[in-house]
Amino acid sequence: MKKTACLLSLFILVLSLVADAQLNKYIVRLKNKSFNNFSITTPSQFLSQRAIQRRTRYNIAVDSTDLPVTQRYLDSIRLAGNVIILNTSKWLNQVLIQTTDAAALNKINSFTFVAGTIAIAPFATPSPELVNKKLDMPGSSPAPLPEGPTNPADANGYYNYGASNGQVKIHNGDFLHNHGFRGEGMHMAVLDAGFYHYLSLPTFDSMRLQNRVLGTWDFVENNASVDEDNSHGMQCLSIIAANLPGVFVGTAPKTSFYLYRTEDVASEYPIEEQNFAAGLERADSLGVDITSTSLGYSQFDNPALNYTYADMNGNTTISARAADYAAKKGILNVVAAGNEGNSAWHYIITPSDADSVLAVGAVDTLGNIGSFSSYGPSSDGQIKPGVASVGVRTAVANTSNGLPVYGNGTSFACPNMAGIATCLWQAFPEVNNMTIIETLEKSATKYTAPDNRVGYGIPDVKKAFVMLQRITFSKQATLNNCKIELALAIKTDNSMQLIVERKLPLETVFTSLPPLAMGSNFSLQNFVYADPVVLQNEGNIQYRFKMVIGTDTTYTLDSLTVLWPASCIPVNPENKYLVGPNPT
């Protein structure tokens, strides 16, 4: 990850210039966290055990950014006058307030612990009937699926995906599902504009019956209800969580979720980025593994607040900085690249510019690029988007009965990829978030020749799985009392087979040795293989290790060579190789 650059001065100046009477929600920037009630030596007071475990697993230190905003400062701000505190960001050390009290604002600015205030949004938003332009994606109005079966049942698969068959299998996501990786035990936060009727649509029956919605919060209205709001988040959620066998199945249907509304579809102001930061922080404190964010920002209702392409450098906007902080805490952030490909803006939007997120562009199930998908790179030269997933004619749940319809947008490519990444990380939780991103990119179709439309291309999680399995593999050979012992370790289960092959001196082909017994659960398994071979002449014995994963794939893990020394040569006047015992 890059170090967060101090590129905020211009951004703050622009925001300050628009601090007029119509903007009555403010960010209060704080100088420090002095007089804090908490200490980094007792993280259990402000982080869940799951969040602490994530930091421990990936060797991430708890630091001052983990500390909540100083309560004494919040009390002073609240008591300055007619002031309502809406939320806070501990990572950015700032407070979102609402006030029309000019005297209170002046008093807040006079506090020694305040670095400044920034007007960020109007007190009253327009009518809720207005549609937010960033969610009104080109061609995104859901279209009905054709009548009749969308795809035939997969006789060898765990799921019959129905309408979502193409968007799952373009990444070989069924490979993960078939081997038991469907999101179990993984926690994801979806940050969006609302999750309309997720409590009643049959698309989410399994998720509800199994109590896999772990929490909700509306950062716009500051309450826990997100069921009555915009349907955009519900449709994104359906791409991951749907479980209607033969009709519509998501990319990680066994995942557990936190559902956060951070977006106000009635208007477009940077306050939504502050809500996003607050949402990420809540997700982090609860121990979330992965986030899916189909939101983005470049142009606002007040043009004076607009970003420029130069701002898309990963270090300027509130949302990009928050996303990178989340990544530093070990969270894997998947973000839509934007739908500006046909617009004058043309480029990616924030927070997809953040350097430590997986930004996702849109293709169809055949790999053709969606014309609306935003162009990279970021203004500081990062390859953006990082990868591509299905965002053209994506199967999503409709709002009336939850059955699948077609929709377009990187908003839908993002959760499709997020579900795929979740199942891959479920298999290999010992590697960190950035390793998962890097592996997905390396497995993609254009890794050796990335471009500004699909980045590294379309990931193949079967290839990614093999890459990560290789990371876990270790081997060692020892010669004890002229007996060769091979110590092997790899993540595997009883649907897979580790085959040891051997080639003796003067032999031209490898011969398979008796198979190793696999444990039933996918885990790191250790094997000791005692090879009874005895050679009469000094020479090299070559070993090769192959992995057979069901009928899906066979590949060579690694090899090694053992020198049979002269000291182990038995007395044998005929000068021949001896192989024993017999039979071997």
Side-chain angles (χ1 to χ4, degrees), residues 68-145:
V69 173
T70 299
Q71 187 61 46
R72 182 185 298 189
Y73 297 166
L74 294 177
D75 293 341
S76 297
I77 292 169
R78 184 184 294 108
L79 297 173
N82 184 17
V83 175
I84 299 173
I85 293 179
L86 299 177
N87 62 50
T88 65
S89 169
K90 61 182 179 181
W91 295 338
L92 305 179
N93 202 22
Q94 59 193 34
V95 185
L96 177 63
I97 66 170
Q98 176 176 296
T99 185
T100 57
D101 187 341
L105 197 61
N106 288 333
K107 186 174 183 179
I108 290 169
N109 277 306
S110 72
F111 291 150
T112 57
F113 58 83
V114 171
T117 56
I118 307 167
I120 200 168
F123 182 81
T125 58
S127 167
E129 283 73 28
L130 294 178
V131 177
N132 187 318
K133 58 182 174 292
K134 64 183 166 295
L135 301 183
D136 185 19
M137 302 161 215
S140 67
S141 299
L145 290 162

